[in-house]
Amino acid sequence: VTAISETIQSLAFSGAEPQKREATLLLVDDDITFLKMMQTLLGRKYHVVAVSSGKEAIEYLMMGHIADLILLDYDMPVLTGPQVLEALRAEPKSANIPVIFLTGKNDRDSVMSVMALKPEGYILKSMSSEDILASVDRFFETRKWENLYRHD
């Protein structure tokens, strides 16, 4: 008991914060090279689960796994990103999970069709790695402030 008390006191006086759960990102992309690169980049700050198809993403979430954010490619075989988003929104287990498209599709029609589905954002793969990471960080920072505002 004394050792536990000393540990708590040393944490309190050292300014250390209690360990927080890192956010879980579900990264969905059929490009394995890009998937690995993003997993390495985002894995520095977040717990990243990477899957290579929309079907795998849906199965992962339906098995009861949780994601704090889904980064979803637009153009994938079998199920496109928009189809995956529609399927996720239709399921109670996944309906409220935020989705940001992380894609190379930047033509007006693609962007407009996706924005009609109301994702939380749209990030282009052509952005620098630092900008992609900053966009994800901004999402969580904004969400933290929105949650604080709602609780006041």
Side-chain angles (χ1 to χ4, degrees), residues 77-98:
V78 185
L79 288 175
T80 65
Q83 290 171 325
V84 172
L85 179 55
E86 287 175 343
L88 294 175
R89 294 290 189 248
E91 285 292 327
K93 284 183 179 180
S94 58
N96 295 318
I97 300 173

mmCIF file of all heavy atoms in Angstrom, residues 77-98:
data_model
loop_
_atom_site.group_PDB
_atom_site.id
_atom_site.type_symbol
_atom_site.label_atom_id
_atom_site.label_comp_id
_atom_site.label_asym_id
_atom_site.label_seq_id
_atom_site.Cartn_x
_atom_site.Cartn_y
_atom_site.Cartn_z
ATOM 1 N N PRO A 77 -12.266 -2.050 -55.120
ATOM 2 C CA PRO A 77 -13.062 -3.067 -55.812
ATOM 3 C C PRO A 77 -14.140 -3.658 -54.896
ATOM 4 O O PRO A 77 -14.048 -3.537 -53.678
ATOM 5 C CB PRO A 77 -12.028 -4.123 -56.201
ATOM 6 C CG PRO A 77 -10.889 -3.924 -55.274
ATOM 7 C CD PRO A 77 -10.893 -2.480 -54.873
ATOM 8 N N VAL A 78 -15.118 -4.276 -55.464
ATOM 9 C CA VAL A 78 -16.256 -4.921 -54.798
ATOM 10 C C VAL A 78 -17.161 -3.886 -54.139
ATOM 11 O O VAL A 78 -18.253 -3.631 -54.622
ATOM 12 C CB VAL A 78 -15.838 -6.039 -53.814
ATOM 13 C CG1 VAL A 78 -17.057 -6.741 -53.251
ATOM 14 C CG2 VAL A 78 -14.890 -7.038 -54.472
ATOM 15 N N LEU A 79 -16.731 -3.296 -53.029
ATOM 16 C CA LEU A 79 -17.506 -2.242 -52.369
ATOM 17 C C LEU A 79 -16.704 -0.945 -52.424
ATOM 18 O O LEU A 79 -15.592 -0.884 -51.900
ATOM 19 C CB LEU A 79 -17.775 -2.589 -50.907
ATOM 20 C CG LEU A 79 -18.770 -3.690 -50.595
ATOM 21 C CD1 LEU A 79 -18.808 -3.967 -49.098
ATOM 22 C CD2 LEU A 79 -20.156 -3.323 -51.092
ATOM 23 N N THR A 80 -17.267 0.079 -53.033
ATOM 24 C CA THR A 80 -16.590 1.382 -53.060
ATOM 25 C C THR A 80 -16.703 2.040 -51.679
ATOM 26 O O THR A 80 -17.537 1.643 -50.851
ATOM 27 C CB THR A 80 -17.227 2.315 -54.096
ATOM 28 O OG1 THR A 80 -18.573 2.610 -53.683
ATOM 29 C CG2 THR A 80 -17.208 1.694 -55.489
ATOM 30 N N GLY A 81 -15.895 3.069 -51.472
ATOM 31 C CA GLY A 81 -15.980 3.808 -50.212
ATOM 32 C C GLY A 81 -17.374 4.332 -49.913
ATOM 33 O O GLY A 81 -17.880 4.151 -48.799
ATOM 34 N N PRO A 82 -18.036 4.978 -50.884
ATOM 35 C CA PRO A 82 -19.402 5.449 -50.616
ATOM 36 C C PRO A 82 -20.359 4.308 -50.251
ATOM 37 O O PRO A 82 -21.210 4.465 -49.371
ATOM 38 C CB PRO A 82 -19.803 6.132 -51.926
ATOM 39 C CG PRO A 82 -18.510 6.609 -52.500
ATOM 40 C CD PRO A 82 -17.517 5.530 -52.149
ATOM 41 N N GLN A 83 -20.222 3.153 -50.889
ATOM 42 C CA GLN A 83 -21.074 2.007 -50.546
ATOM 43 C C GLN A 83 -20.792 1.524 -49.127
ATOM 44 O O GLN A 83 -21.722 1.166 -48.386
ATOM 45 C CB GLN A 83 -20.855 0.860 -51.541
ATOM 46 C CG GLN A 83 -21.397 1.145 -52.919
ATOM 47 C CD GLN A 83 -20.976 0.098 -53.941
ATOM 48 O OE1 GLN A 83 -19.869 -0.439 -53.885
ATOM 49 N NE2 GLN A 83 -21.867 -0.196 -54.884
ATOM 50 N N VAL A 84 -19.517 1.530 -48.740
ATOM 51 C CA VAL A 84 -19.150 1.127 -47.378
ATOM 52 C C VAL A 84 -19.760 2.104 -46.375
ATOM 53 O O VAL A 84 -20.358 1.694 -45.372
ATOM 54 C CB VAL A 84 -17.615 1.047 -47.206
ATOM 55 C CG1 VAL A 84 -17.236 0.819 -45.750
ATOM 56 C CG2 VAL A 84 -17.036 -0.046 -48.088
ATOM 57 N N LEU A 85 -19.643 3.399 -46.652
ATOM 58 C CA LEU A 85 -20.211 4.398 -45.747
ATOM 59 C C LEU A 85 -21.718 4.222 -45.607
ATOM 60 O O LEU A 85 -22.256 4.272 -44.492
ATOM 61 C CB LEU A 85 -19.866 5.817 -46.218
ATOM 62 C CG LEU A 85 -20.416 6.952 -45.359
ATOM 63 C CD1 LEU A 85 -20.012 6.822 -43.903
ATOM 64 C CD2 LEU A 85 -19.965 8.296 -45.930
ATOM 65 N N GLU A 86 -22.411 4.002 -46.713
ATOM 66 C CA GLU A 86 -23.862 3.775 -46.641
ATOM 67 C C GLU A 86 -24.193 2.545 -45.800
ATOM 68 O O GLU A 86 -25.123 2.569 -44.985
ATOM 69 C CB GLU A 86 -24.441 3.633 -48.044
ATOM 70 C CG GLU A 86 -24.496 4.935 -48.803
ATOM 71 C CD GLU A 86 -24.952 4.771 -50.251
ATOM 72 O OE1 GLU A 86 -24.932 3.641 -50.784
ATOM 73 O OE2 GLU A 86 -25.339 5.788 -50.851
ATOM 74 N N ALA A 87 -23.422 1.471 -45.963
ATOM 75 C CA ALA A 87 -23.651 0.243 -45.181
ATOM 76 C C ALA A 87 -23.393 0.495 -43.700
ATOM 77 O O ALA A 87 -24.149 0.022 -42.840
ATOM 78 C CB ALA A 87 -22.760 -0.886 -45.698
ATOM 79 N N LEU A 88 -22.348 1.244 -43.380
ATOM 80 C CA LEU A 88 -22.031 1.539 -41.980
ATOM 81 C C LEU A 88 -23.115 2.399 -41.342
ATOM 82 O O LEU A 88 -23.484 2.185 -40.186
ATOM 83 C CB LEU A 88 -20.674 2.236 -41.878
ATOM 84 C CG LEU A 88 -19.460 1.407 -42.285
ATOM 85 C CD1 LEU A 88 -18.204 2.261 -42.262
ATOM 86 C CD2 LEU A 88 -19.300 0.187 -41.392
ATOM 87 N N ARG A 89 -23.620 3.361 -42.079
ATOM 88 C CA ARG A 89 -24.671 4.242 -41.543
ATOM 89 C C ARG A 89 -25.982 3.489 -41.320
ATOM 90 O O ARG A 89 -26.791 3.885 -40.485
ATOM 91 C CB ARG A 89 -24.911 5.426 -42.484
ATOM 92 C CG ARG A 89 -23.734 6.375 -42.607
ATOM 93 C CD ARG A 89 -23.523 7.164 -41.337
ATOM 94 N NE ARG A 89 -22.527 8.213 -41.529
ATOM 95 C CZ ARG A 89 -21.335 8.207 -40.948
ATOM 96 N NH1 ARG A 89 -20.979 7.231 -40.164
ATOM 97 N NH2 ARG A 89 -20.503 9.196 -41.150
ATOM 98 N N ALA A 90 -26.182 2.406 -42.046
ATOM 99 C CA ALA A 90 -27.416 1.625 -41.923
ATOM 100 C C ALA A 90 -27.397 0.672 -40.732
ATOM 101 O O ALA A 90 -28.443 0.146 -40.353
ATOM 102 C CB ALA A 90 -27.662 0.835 -43.213
ATOM 103 N N GLU A 91 -26.239 0.439 -40.143
ATOM 104 C CA GLU A 91 -26.103 -0.499 -39.020
ATOM 105 C C GLU A 91 -25.990 0.250 -37.695
ATOM 106 O O GLU A 91 -25.132 1.125 -37.560
ATOM 107 C CB GLU A 91 -24.834 -1.355 -39.201
ATOM 108 C CG GLU A 91 -24.960 -2.430 -40.231
ATOM 109 C CD GLU A 91 -25.939 -3.524 -39.819
ATOM 110 O OE1 GLU A 91 -26.054 -3.823 -38.618
ATOM 111 O OE2 GLU A 91 -26.590 -4.066 -40.717
ATOM 112 N N PRO A 92 -26.814 -0.073 -36.713
ATOM 113 C CA PRO A 92 -26.740 0.614 -35.424
ATOM 114 C C PRO A 92 -25.351 0.560 -34.774
ATOM 115 O O PRO A 92 -24.927 1.530 -34.152
ATOM 116 C CB PRO A 92 -27.768 -0.123 -34.558
ATOM 117 C CG PRO A 92 -28.728 -0.712 -35.541
ATOM 118 C CD PRO A 92 -27.920 -1.036 -36.762
ATOM 119 N N LYS A 93 -24.626 -0.552 -34.929
ATOM 120 C CA LYS A 93 -23.303 -0.685 -34.312
ATOM 121 C C LYS A 93 -22.286 0.309 -34.869
ATOM 122 O O LYS A 93 -21.321 0.645 -34.196
ATOM 123 C CB LYS A 93 -22.738 -2.092 -34.528
ATOM 124 C CG LYS A 93 -23.336 -3.161 -33.667
ATOM 125 C CD LYS A 93 -22.636 -4.484 -33.933
ATOM 126 C CE LYS A 93 -23.199 -5.579 -33.049
ATOM 127 N NZ LYS A 93 -22.539 -6.859 -33.297
ATOM 128 N N SER A 94 -22.489 0.733 -36.104
ATOM 129 C CA SER A 94 -21.486 1.579 -36.743
ATOM 130 C C SER A 94 -22.026 2.917 -37.233
ATOM 131 O O SER A 94 -21.272 3.727 -37.760
ATOM 132 C CB SER A 94 -20.858 0.830 -37.924
ATOM 133 O OG SER A 94 -21.858 0.450 -38.854
ATOM 134 N N ALA A 95 -23.295 3.162 -37.032
ATOM 135 C CA ALA A 95 -23.939 4.354 -37.605
ATOM 136 C C ALA A 95 -23.309 5.662 -37.136
ATOM 137 O O ALA A 95 -23.282 6.640 -37.891
ATOM 138 C CB ALA A 95 -25.426 4.352 -37.273
ATOM 139 N N ASN A 96 -22.798 5.701 -35.913
ATOM 140 C CA ASN A 96 -22.277 6.952 -35.362
ATOM 141 C C ASN A 96 -20.761 7.064 -35.382
ATOM 142 O O ASN A 96 -20.210 8.010 -34.823
ATOM 143 C CB ASN A 96 -22.797 7.149 -33.935
ATOM 144 C CG ASN A 96 -24.300 7.320 -33.930
ATOM 145 O OD1 ASN A 96 -24.859 8.021 -34.768
ATOM 146 N ND2 ASN A 96 -24.965 6.662 -33.004
ATOM 147 N N ILE A 97 -20.086 6.115 -36.012
ATOM 148 C CA ILE A 97 -18.627 6.194 -36.098
ATOM 149 C C ILE A 97 -18.270 7.232 -37.165
ATOM 150 O O ILE A 97 -18.731 7.142 -38.300
ATOM 151 C CB ILE A 97 -17.999 4.830 -36.449
ATOM 152 C CG1 ILE A 97 -18.340 3.784 -35.390
ATOM 153 C CG2 ILE A 97 -16.475 4.966 -36.595
ATOM 154 C CD1 ILE A 97 -17.900 2.371 -35.754
ATOM 155 N N PRO A 98 -17.459 8.216 -36.805
ATOM 156 C CA PRO A 98 -17.088 9.221 -37.793
ATOM 157 C C PRO A 98 -16.228 8.626 -38.915
ATOM 158 O O PRO A 98 -15.398 7.740 -38.675
ATOM 159 C CB PRO A 98 -16.301 10.254 -36.991
ATOM 160 C CG PRO A 98 -16.032 9.653 -35.671
ATOM 161 C CD PRO A 98 -16.906 8.467 -35.492
#
